Amino acid sequence: MTTQISLLAEVPEDLSGNRLDQIAARLFPDYSRAKLQGWIRSGALLVNDKRFKPKDRLKTGDILRVEAELVATEAWSAEAIPLDIVFEDEHLLVVNKPANLVVHPAAGNRTGTLLNGLLHRCPRLAELPRAGIVHRLDKDTTGLMVVAKSQVSHTDLVRQLRDRSVSREYEAIVKGVLTGGGTLDVPLGRHPVNRKKRAVQENGQEAITHYRVITRFRSHTHVKVKLETGRTHQIRAHLAYINHPLVGDQLYGGRMSLPSACSITLAECLRSFQRQALHACCLKFCHPASGKLLVWEHPRPKDMEQLLEHLASDHKLEPA
């Protein structure tokens, strides 16, 4: 699927003397710098009907013209996968992702993903990078995600994520009793042995996680987590680093253990909880078209709610 793009703009006086790629980014803000540079190099973006290099300097009155095609970036198949859509308009949609759903196709998961379902609901998403998906949740993490439905929205949402103006809050149930909240500001990189994992690395990517206690139980803690950065497995790796891994985390949680003298119902619940107890409960960002601050909240899924009930029944709650 392709879409024809035709753009025309004149260099204003205040941009005179700047590089072509810098001017194009200012005049055509709906498209990424990488996309514009590609059009310059291919000849799809001309200056005064001539080819220029991205670094060439322009002057007042120069005319930029774009005649290009947006082509579907990947040949992923559309599939009729049920989706829990929380909000949708012409610019974006917000989805509540269930557990056991991979977000993006990869080796071993070419079909049956959120992306395949999104393409079935909105075929034009095939024109956007990763079908408009601008951030991810792990397969077994539940909760809210935003998906762009246009190039304009995609560019703006990616910018908001980069500028850390998107607020993403999670609820989690961790092993052990946390004495209080805090901030984890430790870099993450690939684990030196297990390539599926992330680990604290001195030369890794910056990763910042804020957390606070909601409720303490006898051997577990219910916490609210807020991401400042969005690295792969960030919450899971950070909480495991402080020896409070998520309940049910098969990759970071270590051996399954039960609280001493716990109830039979709690023991059964913990044994059967086979995913990380993590839910993206709140999402805040500015609408790409209106600029209005949007806030969505979504309640915990049933399995986390039942686990919290069993933890509460097993031991008298302590105030956070």
Side-chain angles (χ1 to χ4, degrees), residues 28-320:
F28 308 125
D30 294 342
Y31 302 93
S32 67
R33 179 74 65 87
K35 176 71 72 178
L36 292 167
Q37 288 176 335
W39 285 343
I40 294 169
R41 295 189 179 97
S42 70
L45 193 164
L46 301 176
V47 179
N48 303 325
D49 293 323
K50 297 179 181 179
R51 295 182 68 156
F52 278 59
K53 297 178 181 178
K55 66 180 181 180
D56 287 341
R57 306 282 174 171
L58 304 187
K59 62 182 184 302
T60 303
D62 284 339
I63 302 298
L64 278 64
R65 184 189 303 274
V66 177
E67 296 292 339
E69 288 184 340
L70 288 178
V71 182
T73 56
E74 298 282 0
W76 306 122
S77 60
E79 298 178 58
I81 297 172
L83 300 176
D84 182 6
I85 303 299
V86 177
F87 171 86
E88 184 173 14
D89 65 10
E90 62 183 306
H91 305 284
L92 56 89
L93 62 83
V94 176
V95 61
N96 176 45
K97 191 190 84 66
N100 197 35
L101 180 64
V102 174
V103 168
H104 191 276
N109 291 290
R110 306 296 294 180
T111 60
T113 72
L114 175 64
L115 183 146
N116 299 113
L118 289 169
L119 289 177
H120 182 269
R121 184 179 182 88
C122 186
R124 292 184 67 85
L125 290 178
E127 301 169 7
L128 301 178
R130 300 187 182 277
I133 295 170
V134 294
H135 66 116
R136 301 193 193 189
L137 295 176
D138 292 338
K139 175 184 176 182
D140 286 326
T141 298
T142 60
L144 297 170
M145 292 179 57
V146 60
V147 178
K149 291 181 63 178
S150 68
Q151 185 66 53
V152 174
S153 296
H154 187 274
T155 300
D156 187 74
L157 288 169
V158 168
R159 176 192 59 77
Q160 290 189 55
L161 284 163
R162 183 187 64 239
D163 295 345
R164 303 181 183 179
S165 58
V166 176
S167 175
R168 290 166 289 172
E169 295 184 358
Y170 297 73
E171 286 190 38
I173 306 170
V174 303
K175 296 180 180 180
V177 181
L178 283 162
T179 57
T183 295
L184 294 166
D185 184 356
V186 284
L188 294 173
R190 283 193 178 275
H191 193 281
V193 177
N194 187 338
R195 307 300 288 175
K196 294 182 179 181
K197 297 177 67 173
R198 294 298 186 272
V200 172
Q201 302 272 355
E202 186 176 345
N203 60 347
Q205 293 178 304
E206 181 187 30
I208 304 174
T209 304
H210 308 281
Y211 65 95
R212 65 177 177 85
V213 173
I214 299 175
T215 307
R216 298 184 188 90
F217 301 101
R218 185 159 59 93
S219 299
H220 296 80
T221 310
H222 181 201
V223 297
K224 179 69 70 69
V225 181
K226 184 174 182 180
L227 288 179
E228 188 167 326
T229 56
R231 308 306 179 194
T232 301
H233 297 179
Q234 180 172 319
I235 294 173
R236 299 165 66 188
H238 266 173
L239 291 174
Y241 173 70
I242 60 171
N243 297 315
H244 289 283
L246 299 176
V247 169
D249 196 327
Q250 305 298 303
L251 191 58
Y252 295 90
R255 297 178 62 181
M256 212 282 291
S257 60
L258 298 175
S260 61
C262 71
S263 66
I264 294 175
T265 54
L266 176 57
E268 290 176 348
C269 185
L270 288 170
R271 288 193 183 101
S272 63
F273 208 100
Q274 296 297 306
R275 73 171 185 93
Q276 61 267 13
L278 184 62
H279 173 67
C281 61
C282 184
L283 184 63
K284 302 178 187 178
F285 58 88
C286 291
H287 193 283
S290 69
K292 180 182 177 181
L293 178 64
L294 303 176
V295 181
W296 286 275
E297 295 183 356
H298 204 280
R300 298 179 294 270
K302 182 179 290 187
D303 61 350
M304 284 183 65
E305 191 65 38
Q306 289 177 338
L307 177 55
L308 288 170
E309 290 174 0
H310 291 313
L311 288 169
S313 298
D314 184 71
H315 184 73
K316 182 180 178 180
L317 295 176
E318 297 178 10

